[in-house]
Amino acid sequence: MQTHEIRRRFLDHFVRAGHAEVPSASLVLDDPNLLFVNAGMVPFKPYFLGQETPEHATATSIQKCVRTLDIEEVGITTRHNTFFQMAGNFSFGDYFKEGAIRHAWSLLTSSVDDGGFGIDPGLLWVTVYLDDDEAYGIWRDVVGVPEGRIQRRGMADNYWSMGVPGPCGPCSEIFYDRGPAYGVEGGPEADEDRYIEIWNLVFMQNERGEGTGKDAFEILGPLPKQSIDTGMGIERVAFLLQGVENVYETDLLRPVIDTAERLSGTRYGVDSASDVRFRVIADHARTAYMLISDGVTPGNEGRGYILRRLLRRIVRSVRLLGATGDTMAEFMATVKEAIGPSFPETIAGYERIERIAVAEEIAFLKTLESGTQLFERAAEEARESGAATLSGRQAFALHDTHGFPIDLTLEMAAEAGLQVDEAGFRSLMSEQRARAKADSRSKKHAHADLSVYRDFLDAGETVFTGFTELTDESTLLGIVSGGESVSVAREGDTVEFVLDRTPFYAESGGQLGDRGLISTAGFQMQVDDVQKIGKKLWIHKGVLTGGEVEAGQLVTAAVDPEWRKGATQGHSATHLVHAALRQILGPEAVQAGSLNKPGYMRFDFNWSGSIPADVLAQVEEITNAAVDADYGVNTIETSLDEARRMGAMALFGENYGSLVRVVEIGGPFSMELCGGTHVASSAQIGPVSLLGEASVGSGIRRVEAYVGMDAYRHQARERALVSGLATSLKAPAEELPDRVAALTAKLREAEKALESMRAAQLASRAGDLLSAAEDLDGIRLLAHDDPGGSAGDLRTLASDLKGRLGADAGVIFLTAAGSDKVPFVIAVSPAAQERGLRAGDLVKAIAPTLGARGGGKPDMAQGAGTDPSGIDAAVSALRSAVRDAG
């Protein structure tokens, strides 16, 4: 049965039963809790919560879904997809458990001729939540499923929520038995590769709060109405009904595998490692296609990052299979043909889908080969040194230089038997983001209503005299306050002044606007910023710090000379750094942005890879050599054509006028078109201290530097730091790297030794604790509280104690009381299980005393409570439960 028919049969079944057919929502919804729609019920969330009134009491849909938490399972298991189609039926206060169960069973087991899927009822198993006796009874007494094929499971398996605050409830799942060839007997509890979940019936009756995982969250209370949310996995039913081995070999995904075979020359079904790559390609190609269709584009954060990760995993996987040429266009075309009949709207937007996917492949291919070589060198160095971990700096270099998502580095490291210092990587990423945001400024007039300045613009442009003057007499043409033109400004007012002429430089070309004063004998204004409007009107922004002024008065405009000096040093240093980079890297290193202010410069340029430290050191040396050479700085006004004949660089694709300004430093050393202010000679710049370089976007690098006295102060701090370390470590400065490396190695060894001691201590305690167990009619009960212990320690200790019981019947109850939480573990030995004790049942017995919830398997269960004072009562309840069973 083809997938498109499975979809149609599902919808027809529920439409006949009176449900309204609802189209799928976009994968991207305006929900701050979700990156993507991850379940069929998400579009109906307001109905379940009672926030909106549904148009229909019952509904059915085939919802597009994406889940990325299981991305590492893709290709390995038989059942995990990132994109999948969730067929669902919904009741908003209409029918409840029995209705949902009857509808599902009817569709699954009715004959094909009658519109069903024709599945043999004898192959179906069901699970219910631990204490859901009602659902258990319906399956057994109404539907007729034998008790042996109904299993009770804990919260992690049979209590459903979206993973975030919202509606939730116990659920009942339906599983298909693929037969003994696929695993052991015993139902879903024993083997979920043999027993495949195909439908989840969620009895929406509660609202959950914050929490983590599938079972560590608070139940806030009941929903306004008891409702139904079910989800049948289209892909899972398809692979079972089509008689293939997994979800990747169905009619919707197998064509992508066939395309990958053709492009790579490798056959599917021959090698297990290659098969995983084929399945990753098939799954990710379809997911990427659907994400792009719903408006997602590749990026470095959020949804864009997920898409980029998927596309790059495809590229890497098909290369590992042997493909050498471009492949993405063929994969997207294959997906379109396969999924188009179900989602015809994607065909209309196909050109965009293909264009975005292909562009990402091209971008990644440029760096994949060199990045892989860098990784292999780093991995080999780690092995030779005996290390088992790649450093955070190495992972960051792969990301920063070669565009490797950290997930790809983790994946490659796992394949190489290595770990990655993720904490170190995250720290470096945080530093990069901080640098990228540093000193960014909002252009306040970018989207403002500029009508208030219209008369000033029409009257003519501001005359800028700041190239030769720092003080000038001007006429105050107008005052703007609160977005309106006013005639008078008084002390304390935040205002904008429009002058007929000004020595103040307005922010442009990366150079910040000047600071200074505008004043007369009767008032004073502190200028904090200067901006241009329409490229010809200067707006001076600031606060009146004294007096009162009226429009039309004569004023004195005076630039702060120290500010201007620092700004010109920073701007001229930027030209020198640009020239030095081009000397070392070549003409491709072209400016892409800059920021200059007193004591600091930031310079962005086009370059596809990171700049090694030794190369950056050369750039710094060439820059400072130019400073030391005391080159003259000349400005020339000429035609654009003449400037180009002179060799001046025109930047940013600007629209230059017929007359341009060329800034020349040291003749041929640096010659650029520039409207900024500059020093008179390069020696006035002072020292330039490069701080480092980083990526700020695809193909864009950034260098930062301190300039002048700020560079001197930075170097002085660095010297003091090195001197302090040398004194503390009693080593010469040149030996510090080796000494720090040795200390780091010792620290790691000490941490490993501490971990070994901790494990040994837990093991040594086990024997003493077990001797204190009480005997309850032949069943040994050990209850022990370890204040401040971790849940992991409890699990480890419980496993050890259970093993030490050997053939004895015993129950272990361990708690770790804190100020407000009580993690706990219950372990039951095999002999105690034979006497009817189950860890999950014992959790239910103690839960009320601790204000707890939890669950698990018969041999071990765990959870957490909120009432540490209830531990003694919990032990008493456990003692009673053990006696009752014994």
Side-chain angles (χ1 to χ4, degrees):
M1 187 179 295
Q2 296 296 293
T3 300
H4 305 306
E5 183 180 351
I6 293 171
R7 286 169 47 95
R8 190 68 259 163
R9 282 175 178 264
F10 184 95
L11 293 172
D12 288 348
H13 174 79
F14 284 101
V15 168
R16 286 195 300 269
H19 294 63
E21 182 177 336
V22 177
S24 173
S26 168
L27 285 167
V28 179
L29 289 185
D30 186 17
D31 188 326
N33 292 313
L34 297 173
L35 278 178
F36 305 112
V37 170
N38 62 359
M41 57 74 61
V42 171
F44 304 111
K45 179 180 171 183
Y47 303 156
F48 292 122
L49 291 173
Q51 297 169 345
E52 296 180 18
T53 302
E55 295 182 25
H56 311 280
T58 59
T60 185
S61 70
I62 309 290
Q63 174 62 45
K64 299 178 291 187
C65 300
V66 167
R67 292 181 188 170
T68 56
L69 291 177
D70 294 331
I71 194 169
E72 305 304 335
E73 300 297 322
V74 169
I76 298 173
T77 72
T78 60
R79 61 190 186 278
H80 283 100
N81 288 131
T82 48
F83 170 87
F84 57 94
Q85 302 172 73
M86 186 59 75
N89 59 286
F90 308 92
S91 165
F92 312 113
D94 191 74
Y95 60 82
F96 198 45
K97 293 182 182 180
E98 183 170 340
I101 289 171
R102 284 182 179 273
H103 283 310
W105 193 258
S106 173
L107 176 59
L108 292 174
T109 61
S110 292
S111 69
V112 172
D113 291 341
D114 290 335
F117 294 143
I119 296 176
D120 178 359
L123 298 177
L124 298 178
W125 289 62
V126 295
T127 62
V128 298
Y129 183 55
L130 286 173
D131 60 0
D132 193 350
D133 295 332
E134 180 184 0
Y136 189 98
I138 294 169
W139 282 116
R140 181 191 60 195
D141 303 330
V142 178
V143 176
V145 177
E147 286 191 346
R149 294 210 308 273
I150 306 173
Q151 294 182 330
R152 297 180 185 265
R153 305 185 79 177
M155 198 166 188
D157 295 300
N158 276 74
Y159 200 98
W160 193 91
S161 76
M162 292 188 300
V164 295
C168 64
C171 63
S172 180
E173 297 176 327
I174 305 174
F175 291 78
Y176 180 97
D177 180 7
R178 303 174 71 200
Y182 295 94
V184 299
E185 299 279 353
E189 211 171 51
D191 189 339
E192 286 198 16
D193 283 322
R194 169 176 170 174
Y195 301 89
I196 299 293
E197 178 202 338
I198 56 175
W199 207 331
N200 188 6
L201 314 179
V202 182
F203 310 131
M204 286 292 193
Q205 59 192 60
N206 294 315
E207 181 177 358
R208 67 159 281 181
E210 298 287 351
T212 58
K214 294 183 177 181
D215 54 3
F217 54 83
E218 182 182 3
I219 303 298
L220 301 179
L223 293 172
K225 295 181 180 180
Q226 291 184 330
S227 298
I228 288 295
D229 153 37
T230 85
M232 187 195 82
I234 292 288
E235 282 75 13
R236 294 190 182 185
V237 172
F239 103 73
L240 295 171
L241 295 185
Q242 291 173 18
V244 294
E245 291 299 305
N246 52 61
V247 292
Y248 313 103
E249 298 176 10
T250 65
D251 58 319
L252 292 192
L253 289 181
R254 179 63 202 228
V256 183
I257 292 177
D258 294 340
T259 298
E261 283 186 312
R262 176 170 53 82
L263 294 172
S264 68
T266 300
R267 302 297 299 171
Y268 178 71
V270 175
D271 174 72
S272 59
S274 294
D275 286 353
V276 170
R277 295 182 182 120
F278 276 115
R279 295 167 189 159
V280 165
I281 293 167
D283 172 88
H284 289 5
R286 182 175 66 166
T287 304
Y289 177 96
M290 297 303 294
L291 287 176
I292 298 171
S293 174
D294 276 355
V296 182
T297 56
N300 291 327
E301 294 184 351
R303 300 180 179 105
Y305 174 77
I306 296 295
L307 174 58
R308 171 162 286 167
R309 180 184 177 193
L310 296 173
L311 289 169
R312 292 187 170 188
R313 288 189 93 202
I314 295 170
V315 174
R316 179 171 179 263
S317 295
V318 75
R319 285 298 178 284
L320 290 173
L321 289 173
T324 56
D326 298 339
T327 61
M328 197 62 70
E330 297 226 34
F331 288 142
M332 293 299 106
T334 303
V335 174
K336 180 188 72 170
E337 293 301 317
I339 207 167
S342 291
F343 299 97
E345 69 276 9
T346 66
I347 298 176
Y350 176 69
E351 287 187 9
R352 174 181 170 275
I353 296 172
E354 181 189 57
R355 183 175 67 252
I356 290 174
V358 168
E360 185 66 19
E361 178 183 37
I362 292 171
F364 188 45
L365 282 175
K366 290 180 180 178
T367 56
L368 178 60
E369 182 176 353
S370 57
T372 301
Q373 292 173 352
L374 176 62
F375 172 84
E376 289 174 349
R377 286 198 300 272
E380 186 61 30
E381 290 172 4
R383 293 191 195 95
E384 290 176 355
S385 66
T389 302
L390 291 182
S391 71
R393 189 163 296 280
Q394 289 171 313
F396 181 77
L398 283 165
H399 165 84
D400 203 37
T401 307
H402 301 283
F404 276 31
I406 182 62
D407 311 274
L408 177 55
T409 302
L410 290 169
E411 186 176 307
M412 294 171 68
E415 292 172 356
L418 298 170
Q419 294 181 323
V420 177
D421 176 14
E422 288 189 70
F425 170 83
R426 305 290 178 197
S427 175
L428 290 168
M429 283 295 294
S430 296
E431 292 175 15
Q432 184 193 64
R433 291 191 192 99
R435 287 193 300 269
K437 293 178 181 178
D439 300 304
S440 64
R441 297 181 58 84
S442 170
K443 303 300 184 289
K444 299 181 180 64
H445 294 295
H447 304 287
D449 180 4
L450 303 183
S451 60
V452 68
Y453 306 103
R454 179 57 54 198
D455 291 342
F456 303 122
L457 287 165
D458 292 343
E461 64 185 48
T462 304
V463 177
F464 176 60
T465 62
F467 286 133
T468 57
E469 305 291 340
L470 291 182
T471 302
D472 207 345
E473 299 300 318
S474 307
T475 298
L476 178 57
L477 299 178
I479 305 170
V480 176
S481 179
E484 296 182 356
S485 180
V486 297
S487 59
V488 179
R490 297 177 177 83
E491 183 175 351
D493 289 351
T494 299
V495 294
E496 299 175 356
F497 280 3
V498 181
L499 307 180
D500 66 335
R501 56 192 290 117
T502 181
F504 283 86
Y505 182 82
E507 180 176 348
S508 61
Q511 181 176 330
L512 297 187
D514 281 333
R515 306 293 187 265
L517 294 174
I518 298 175
S519 62
T520 67
F523 90 98
Q524 180 173 284
M525 173 192 175
Q526 178 70 47
V527 179
D528 298 321
D529 188 19
V530 186
Q531 294 289 329
K532 284 183 188 178
I533 293 180
K535 294 189 176 182
K536 66 177 186 177
L537 191 69
W538 267 237
I539 304 297
H540 306 73
K541 303 181 179 185
V543 178
L544 255 68
T545 57
E548 179 178 301
V549 64
E550 293 183 9
Q553 285 186 234
L554 288 177
V555 299
T556 299
V559 175
D560 179 345
E562 287 301 314
W563 175 277
R564 172 65 72 83
K565 176 186 176 183
T568 58
Q569 286 177 314
H571 201 154
S572 297
T574 301
H575 285 226
L576 297 187
V577 170
H578 189 188
L581 282 164
R582 289 170 64 80
Q583 279 191 32
I584 299 296
L585 301 178
E588 296 84 6
V590 177
Q591 180 174 345
S594 66
L595 175 69
N596 315 296
K597 64 179 183 178
Y600 172 85
M601 58 143 285
R602 186 181 78 201
F603 183 77
D604 298 345
F605 60 100
N606 296 303
W607 195 254
S608 59
S610 66
I611 311 301
D614 61 332
V615 174
L616 205 61
Q618 292 180 58
V619 172
E620 185 177 63
E621 182 172 349
I622 291 171
T623 300
N624 283 286
V627 171
D628 186 60
D630 195 16
Y631 289 136
V633 178
N634 302 305
T635 59
I636 306 164
E637 287 194 351
T638 185
S639 68
L640 179 59
D641 290 341
E642 179 61 26
R644 284 173 171 160
R645 279 193 292 270
M646 293 167 59
M649 293 189 62
L651 306 175
F652 309 125
E654 293 253 12
N655 294 320
Y656 294 100
S658 58
L659 196 66
V660 296
R661 187 167 182 267
V662 178
V663 176
E664 174 195 80
I665 305 178
F669 183 84
S670 171
M671 189 180 297
E672 299 184 18
L673 299 185
C674 179
T677 63
H678 289 272
V679 296
S681 70
S682 62
Q684 293 179 358
I685 296 172
V688 178
S689 181
L690 295 186
L691 305 178
E693 68 90 38
S695 169
V696 291
S698 179
I700 305 293
R701 309 299 298 183
R702 170 174 292 170
V703 294
E704 296 175 278
Y706 287 129
V707 180
M709 284 302 295
D710 284 83
Y712 165 76
R713 295 184 187 101
H714 170 70
Q715 292 164 0
R717 287 193 299 269
E718 294 288 297
R719 287 196 303 271
L721 177 62
V722 170
S723 176
L725 283 173
T727 300
S728 297
L729 298 178
K730 296 181 174 59
E734 60 271 16
E735 294 181 10
L736 285 179
D738 292 339
R739 184 65 62 88
V740 170
L743 287 173
T744 302
K746 286 183 179 180
L747 178 61
R748 289 188 182 130
E749 290 174 3
E751 288 173 343
K752 289 180 181 178
L754 283 172
E755 184 61 31
S756 298
M757 289 175 60
R758 190 158 159 269
Q761 286 175 345
L762 284 174
S764 66
R765 291 170 59 197
D768 295 338
L769 290 174
L770 206 56
S771 65
E774 60 180 304
D775 186 282
L776 300 176
D777 301 325
I779 299 176
R780 300 173 70 183
L781 173 62
L782 170 61
H784 174 71
D785 182 49
D786 185 14
S790 70
D793 289 343
L794 296 184
R795 287 193 299 272
T796 300
L797 186 56
S799 295
D800 190 4
L801 289 166
K802 182 162 66 76
R804 289 172 183 257
L805 284 169
D808 293 348
V811 174
I812 311 297
F813 177 46
L814 304 179
T815 56
S819 59
D820 58 351
K821 294 288 184 183
V822 189
F824 64 84
V825 172
I826 296 179
V828 181
S829 72
Q833 291 178 55
E834 291 176 2
R835 296 182 62 170
L837 289 167
R838 298 288 184 270
D841 294 339
L842 295 176
V843 167
K844 289 193 292 185
I846 66 149
T849 64
L850 296 174
R853 66 174 64 91
K857 297 181 179 180
D859 66 325
M860 187 173 292
Q862 64 186 57
T866 59
D867 184 7
S869 67
I871 290 179
D872 290 341
V875 174
S876 297
L878 188 63
R879 190 179 288 116
S880 297
V882 170
R883 283 199 175 103
D884 291 344

